[in-house]
Amino acid sequence: MPTPSATNSHLIAAGFHALSDPIRIGVLELLRKQEQCVCDLCDALGVSQSKLSFHLKTLKEARLVNARHEGRWIYYSLNLPQFSILEAYLAEYSRLGQISPARCCDNFS
């Protein structure tokens, strides 16, 4: 399996961290349907704008969502290429054959 670059390793880790929270999963599920503004996301998820802002920051840092400004509103959408990177990373594990057992360790330091 190829080793991801340092940048990709960071983005992969950030992506899985971003996917580890139910509110962020809820945001992504809503964005699967269409681009949404913050107020609509807050209403749909039943969270305050300040709480959602924290979660959107995490999703943006992981590059899982894009933000687009229009006037005083910010609209969010999925960044599908980043999901492809995470998918490709996981796919490498599904292609692994049987994993060899550890060799005997002769180092008794």
Side-chain angles (χ1 to χ4, degrees), residues 64-86:
L64 293 176
V65 298
N66 297 314
R68 176 179 68 83
H69 293 267
E70 187 173 304
R72 63 185 207 127
W73 303 109
I74 302 174
Y75 292 88
Y76 291 91
S77 61
L78 295 179
N79 181 21
L80 296 177
Q82 185 62 24
F83 284 91
S84 296
I85 289 171
L86 296 177

Side-chain angles (χ1 to χ4, degrees), residues 4 10 25 38 46 55 60 76 82 94-95 101 105 107:
H10 171 75
I25 296 292
V38 173
H55 291 290
K60 285 191 300 185
Y76 291 91
Q82 185 62 24
S94 68
R95 288 192 276 275
C105 185
N107 187 4

Side-chain angles (χ1 to χ4, degrees), residues 10-80:
H10 171 75
L11 287 174
I12 289 166
F16 287 117
H17 168 72
L19 293 170
S20 70
D21 184 274
I23 291 174
R24 293 190 290 265
I25 296 292
V27 169
L28 297 175
E29 288 298 318
L30 290 168
L31 296 179
R32 288 176 75 166
K33 298 173 186 135
Q34 69 181 45
E35 179 182 65
Q36 304 249 347
C37 71
V38 173
C39 56
D40 289 339
L41 291 169
C42 287
D43 289 345
L45 295 168
V47 297
S48 68
Q49 191 165 347
S50 62
K51 185 172 189 173
L52 184 61
S53 186
F54 166 79
H55 291 290
L56 288 168
K57 180 178 183 263
T58 301
L59 289 166
K60 285 191 300 185
E61 287 172 352
R63 297 187 189 169
L64 293 176
V65 298
N66 297 314
R68 176 179 68 83
H69 293 267
E70 187 173 304
R72 63 185 207 127
W73 303 109
I74 302 174
Y75 292 88
Y76 291 91
S77 61
L78 295 179
N79 181 21
L80 296 177

